[in-house]
Amino acid sequence: AGAIYTFEVVINGNTACTVNVTGIAISRPPSVDIKANGSDGPITINSGSSAILSWTSSNATSCTASGHWSGSKPTSGAQSTGSLTAPRGYTITCNGPGGSVSDSVTVRVGALLPPTVDIKADGSDGPITIDSGSSATLSWTSSNATSCIASGGWSGSRWTSGSEPTELLTADRIYSLTCNGPGGSASDSVIVAVPP
């Protein structure tokens, strides 16, 4: 169905005839693009971790998931896969007046990567020496870790990366940090020495 257009054919100033033309509305076909962690894939993640699925579409009125997810989805959005221990394929099919279209992405699962951690005092792996009654700045970074715990000259939970000053020191201190992740745990320490 479409709009009806009327045209008059005029010859020498007189209407010779009237022509009715029916215009047919043409719908554009839909398109859809799904990504995992921002990539068309396949991607590989650590076993036990998750990926973020994101998708966009055009000329679509509805979308449906299949493969290792299911159900109706908005025409654009994002969703976590949840924790994965095996490869998974995710397909999304979007429909519109112009037809339907599908796209897929694969998330592979690799070996668990062990965490790493590196702690420094005043930018050094140490030992360092400071004056009695002064402090040092501890800084640390980690990878493949989800949590870190301080011990020795400090204590408590810490972010997986950060920095903070020590207290004013009058004696030697050892600052240790243990970081944990799906692949295990790792520890590192630094010594801050205070001369008598």
Side-chain angles (χ1 to χ4, degrees), residues 35-150:
K35 298 179 183 294
N37 288 352
S39 170
D40 290 324
I43 68 165
T44 301
I45 63 173
N46 291 340
S47 179
S49 60
S50 62
I52 298 296
L53 305 174
S54 59
W55 65 96
T56 57
S57 67
S58 61
N59 306 315
T61 55
S62 64
C63 296
T64 303
S66 58
H68 287 96
W69 64 338
S70 61
S72 297
K73 303 296 177 188
T75 53
S76 64
Q79 179 178 324
S80 172
T81 62
S83 177
L84 299 182
T85 56
R88 294 288 185 263
Y90 301 89
T91 299
I92 189 164
T93 300
C94 293
N95 305 287
S100 66
V101 66
S102 298
D103 192 26
S104 300
V105 68
T106 299
V107 179
R108 296 171 177 164
V109 174
L112 289 172
L113 296 178
T116 64
V117 60
D118 180 28
I119 185 172
K120 299 179 183 293
D122 288 345
S124 170
D125 289 326
I128 68 165
T129 300
I130 64 172
D131 293 333
S132 179
S134 61
S135 66
T137 297
L138 304 174
S139 59
W140 65 96
T141 58
S142 67
S143 62
N144 308 315
T146 56
S147 64
C148 295
I149 300 292

